Amino acid sequence: MNRPETGRRPDAPDDGVARLTSGMVAQRLGVSPTTLRSWDRRYGLGPARRNEGRHRRWSPEDIAVLETMCRLTAQGVPPGEAARLARSGAAPSDDEPPADPALDDASPDEASDPRLGPVRPECRGLGRAAVRLDTDAVEEHLHSFLRGHGVVAAWEELMMPTLHAVGRKWETGGDRYVEVEHFLSWHVSTALRTAPFLVPRPARRGGPPVLLACTPGEQHTLPLEAVHAALVGEGIPVRMLGAAVPADALLEAVQRTGPAAVTLWSQTRSSASAALADHLVRTGWGLKGARRRPVIQLAGPGWRGASVEGASYPHSLTDAVAALRGP
C-alpha cells in the first residue's frame, strides 16, 4: 500500500526546515567530511538534530556555527577555543588576515587576479583548508580537481593561483603564513606525483625522452613537477633530474639519454645561466652528417630578458606541454 504524499522533502524534518547533508556542507565550507566528523566528535559542533540512522543533517543555524569555526581557525585561533567561541555565537575578531582573491569570501565574479585572470571558487576552498592546515580537506580539493580536470588545468587554475595567494599573504603578514606555504607546497608536490594514479593516461609512447632539470643552484621544483606530471599523463617518456642540477651532470645526462627535448627551469635571474643554455643548444650526438640535437626549453621567470638563440621560452604549462607533445 502506497504511503500518502506529504509534500515534504526527505531532508526537511517535521519542523519544515530544509537541512543539508555533510557532503554538501563540506563542499560549501571548503572542508572535508572527515573534518566535520572530527569537529563533531571533539568539540560538539554537530547538527542539533539527526534523522533516522543518525545521519547528520545540518540546518542553517548549524552551518552558521561551522562558518564561524572556519573563520576563527583560519585566523589562527586554536580549534578548541574557536569551537567554544563558535558555540557561544561570538563573532570573529577584527584581526582578520588581509583579503585575497583566492582565499576571501568574495563571489566568483568578484574573485580575480589581474596577473592570473579569473580565480576559480575552488581556489578559495583550497586556500582556506591550507590556512587551517587541514590535510584531509587539502588532499580532497587537489585530488578531486585532478580527477575532474587533469594536470594542466589543476596547475594553472587551482594550484598556481592558490600558491600565489598564500605567498602574497606571507608577504603582507610577515612570517605569519610561512607554515601555510610550506604545507600547501608539500601537498601540491605530493598530488602532482600521484596524479598518474588519479587521472587515466594513454599507453606510454616510444622514442627518446624529455629531460627535465633545474639550473644549478635552483631549488624551486614545483613548476617542473607539474610539467613532469602532465607529460606522464600523456604517455610521453620523461626523465626528471630535479633541483640544482650541476652543469656537468646535466650535460652528461643529455649525452646518456639522447633526449628529444630538455626543459631547464629557473625561478630567479641569479640562477639562470645563458652560457649553459647556449651550450645545450649546441650539444649534439650521433654520426657526422646525421647529428641530433634536443629541443631546448628555457622555462620560468629567471629567463626573462635572456636571449639564447635556438631556445624556446614557454609562457605556461599549456605552452610547454604543447611544444613537447610534438606533431
Side-chain angles (χ1 to χ4, degrees), residues 28 39 85 91-92 98 108 123 125 138 174-175 179-180 242 253 274 283-284 298 315:
R28 173 173 173 173
W39 286 352
L85 293 171
C123 293
V138 166
D175 291 336
E179 77 287 356
V180 177
T283 296
L298 303 181
H315 297 292

Side-chain angles (χ1 to χ4, degrees), residues 13-16 19 46-51 55-58 62:
D14 291 341
D15 57 8
R19 289 176 163 80
R49 297 180 60 171
R50 302 171 191 261
N51 67 356
H55 292 297
R56 294 172 176 83
R57 292 294 185 270
W58 305 81
D62 299 327

Side-chain angles (χ1 to χ4, degrees), residues 119-132:
V119 174
R120 299 181 65 114
E122 292 93 336
C123 293
R124 296 198 300 277
L126 176 60
R128 295 189 194 109
V131 171
R132 291 194 303 274

Side-chain angles (χ1 to χ4, degrees), residues 91-106:
S93 70
D94 294 332
D95 185 27
E96 191 164 356
D100 187 280
L103 303 180
D104 65 12
D105 292 318

Side-chain angles (χ1 to χ4, degrees), residues 1-25:
M1 182 175 178
N2 294 330
R3 295 182 179 179
E5 291 290 339
T6 63
R8 185 183 297 123
R9 290 165 44 191
D11 57 352
D14 291 341
D15 57 8
V17 176
R19 289 176 163 80
L20 302 183
T21 66
S22 292
M24 296 166 68
V25 173

Side-chain angles (χ1 to χ4, degrees), residues 2 59 129 201 215 223 226 234:
N2 294 330
S59 70
R201 55 176 168 161
T215 55
E234 297 206 14

Side-chain angles (χ1 to χ4, degrees), residues 172-197:
T172 58
D175 291 336
R176 185 173 183 182
Y177 289 95
V178 174
E179 77 287 356
V180 177
E181 186 172 43
H182 282 252
F183 176 81
L184 181 58
S185 295
W186 189 89
H187 280 285
V188 166
S189 177
T190 302
L192 289 170
R193 296 187 188 196
T194 58
F197 305 100

Side-chain angles (χ1 to χ4, degrees), residues 102-121:
L103 303 180
D104 65 12
D105 292 318
S107 69
D109 292 336
E110 297 170 332
S112 63
D113 184 325
R115 294 173 298 178
L116 302 173
V119 174
R120 299 181 65 114

